[in-house]
Amino acid sequence: MATDPPIRIFLSPPDVGPRERELLLDAFDSNWIAPLGPHVDAFEAEVAARAGRAHGVALSSGTAALHLALRLHGVGAGDRVLCSTLTFIASANAILYLGAEPVFVDVAESHWNLDPDLVAVEIDRAEAAGERIAAVLGVGLYGSLAGIAALERVCRDRGVPFIEDAAEALGSTIDGRPAGNFGDAAIFSFNGNKIITTSGGGMLVTDDGELAARARSLASQAREPAPHYEHVEVGYNYRLSNLLAALGRAQLEGLDAKVDRRRELFDRYVDALADLPGFVFAPELAGERGNRWLTCLTVDPDRAGADREAIRLALRAQGIEARPVWKPMHQQPVFADREVLGGARAAQCFADGLCLPSGSSLTDGQQDEVIALVRDAAAG
Ligand SMILES: *Cc1c(COP(=O)(O)O)cnc(C)c1O
């Protein structure tokens, strides 16, 4: 087998410019090189404002933010937490860090996010059986907020905490509400491949000031307010550096332009490829304006001249990175013994799903090259 050339066109690389350099150097020159400082405070306020929330807590990763959000909403050992099966493993890992049990739930027929009806049925069944669902973790997959308001309603009506995993959804809106605005708390990720990046980082957003203060304390090894080091509970080292917060602020200034560019790339892919038989692009529901973090589609191998893997390999052979859609959690060997409700729909999204290069720095020329290769591969 021929070895693939190095990757030239990445799926979703960081997109930084002179403003990032300027703010990073400002943080450096100010000597605030600590996991606290003026850029952290400002970044928290700015991200919270984007999410329509009163408070933001900057953290070392989105996973850390999920861990704290679940813990602060009472999730503990042995608790059952409903979680979309179609997601990145970080969502499930945060549940396991607390010794809780993830229950993987399928996505809806009409979109790729957690099915609110399945969640309602399971919460009601559990309640009738005298069992407790400790929390629901909903994910805005690939930046789509489809179904998230219905999910929020299902949880609120039943008194179950709802955490919004908006790691992929910063900058998206639905019916005028921004990502991060749903549920009791929400989280963002600023990992290197996300729509904006701090190289690594995350944030918890909430309207609950006391909860934000608790999150900040737990993220700093749970130090009590005393001149010496006093601790009454076990915390974590989860704070974000002031240097990285400076980078994040510059990135946030460019968020709208990045969303516009990713949406434009999505539309160009649709214009150039949607006529191909068996090609179906990830939906956007009425009222939704997603960030289109990644352009995703499914390829029906019975109708197209190739399956998604053949297309992915054809791109890879030319130094272009594409990826299958997230492999569902209930199909992961590490979770082989875990509970799953449904799962066929998510499995189908994975079997046929492909993510195309979608970085906001992708040029039209590069995208045209991807499109030509996809058309070639799809012709079989
Ligand atoms: C990226 C991601 C996370 C985790 O974020 P990190 O900052 O990488 O820890 C969580 N959930 C989803 C859906 C993600 O895509």
Side-chain angles (χ1 to χ4, degrees):
M1 206 179 114
T3 43
D4 287 325
I7 294 177
R8 298 179 286 123
I9 298 180
F10 287 90
L11 185 68
S12 180
D15 177 6
V16 298
R19 182 64 176 152
E20 279 76 6
R21 192 186 161 83
E22 185 187 339
L23 282 194
L24 193 54
L25 289 176
D26 173 78
F28 185 88
D29 293 341
S30 73
N31 205 35
W32 281 103
I33 317 288
L36 79 179
H39 285 295
V40 172
D41 297 343
F43 189 43
E44 290 180 337
E46 288 159 6
V47 172
R50 285 293 309 211
R53 296 283 198 173
H55 305 279
V57 181
L59 297 163
S60 53
S61 70
T63 312
L66 281 172
H67 185 191
L68 293 181
L70 290 167
R71 175 167 162 177
L72 290 170
H73 285 87
V75 175
D79 283 339
R80 294 171 80 234
V81 176
L82 305 187
C83 173
S84 179
T85 189
L86 192 60
T87 185
F88 176 52
I89 195 168
S91 314
N93 282 348
I95 297 168
L96 287 152
Y97 295 165
L98 291 159
E101 299 276 339
V103 177
F104 298 119
V105 182
D106 210 348
V107 296
E109 273 303 317
S110 56
H111 54 75
W112 293 16
N113 288 336
L114 190 51
D115 184 340
D117 296 333
L118 284 179
V119 169
V121 166
E122 174 56 15
I123 296 174
D124 293 346
R125 186 211 58 78
E127 187 171 26
E131 300 165 14
R132 190 172 85 101
I133 300 294
V136 173
L137 188 53
V139 182
L141 207 72
Y142 299 117
S144 168
L145 297 178
I148 217 112
L151 204 52
E152 180 187 57
R153 211 174 314 114
V154 161
C155 295
R156 194 196 294 128
D157 289 352
R158 290 162 177 78
V160 176
F162 173 48
I163 311 298
E164 182 196 356
D165 180 347
E168 302 174 3
L170 184 64
S172 298
T173 62
I174 190 160
D175 297 325
R177 282 178 72 185
N181 192 250
F182 295 85
D184 298 275
I187 73 97
F188 295 113
S189 167
F190 312 119
N191 193 37
N193 60 350
K194 295 300 191 319
I195 193 157
I196 68 166
T197 184
T198 57
S199 77
M203 197 169 300
L204 172 67
V205 293
T206 174
D207 290 320
D208 183 338
E210 212 167 299
L211 191 130
R214 291 261 300 129
R216 210 164 269 128
S217 165
L218 283 176
S220 328
Q221 308 284 20
R223 275 186 66 187
E224 295 297 311
H228 58 277
Y229 284 81
E230 179 86 1
H231 306 274
V232 297
E233 62 183 333
V234 175
Y236 315 92
N237 181 3
Y238 274 175
R239 292 292 277 153
L240 185 74
S241 148
N242 191 59
L243 286 177
L244 300 185
L247 188 53
R249 292 185 70 201
Q251 287 270 283
L252 194 63
E253 287 176 9
L255 175 62
D256 290 334
K258 292 186 199 307
V259 171
D260 288 348
R261 178 59 181 158
R262 293 206 188 225
R263 288 184 62 83
E264 186 174 53
L265 291 170
F266 180 89
D267 291 343
R268 291 185 88 244
Y269 277 127
V270 171
D271 285 348
L273 297 171
D275 64 303
L276 292 171
F279 274 51
V280 178
F281 285 82
E284 183 162 86
L285 303 191
E288 206 188 339
R289 188 175 192 275
N291 66 9
R292 293 296 191 188
W293 172 52
L294 298 182
T295 288
C296 305
L297 70 158
T298 53
V299 178
D300 178 351
D302 296 333
R303 298 189 54 227
D307 61 14
R308 66 111 161 106
E309 198 53 13
I311 297 171
R312 189 187 72 75
L313 290 171
L315 292 170
R316 186 61 193 84
Q318 300 302 319
I320 296 168
E321 182 187 36
R323 290 222 183 232
V325 161
W326 298 123
K327 182 176 184 181
M329 294 303 107
H330 74 276
Q331 295 183 304
Q332 298 288 353
V334 67
F335 298 139
D337 300 330
R338 303 286 168 176
E339 245 183 289
V340 58
L341 304 174
R345 163 93 180 132
Q348 197 62 52
C349 291
F350 168 61
D352 294 344
L354 184 67
C355 307
L356 295 174
S358 306
S360 43
S361 54
L362 190 74
T363 65
D364 285 2
Q366 289 173 321
Q367 189 185 21
D368 291 341
E369 189 186 345
V370 175
I371 287 166
L373 287 164
V374 171
R375 287 199 75 94
D376 262 6

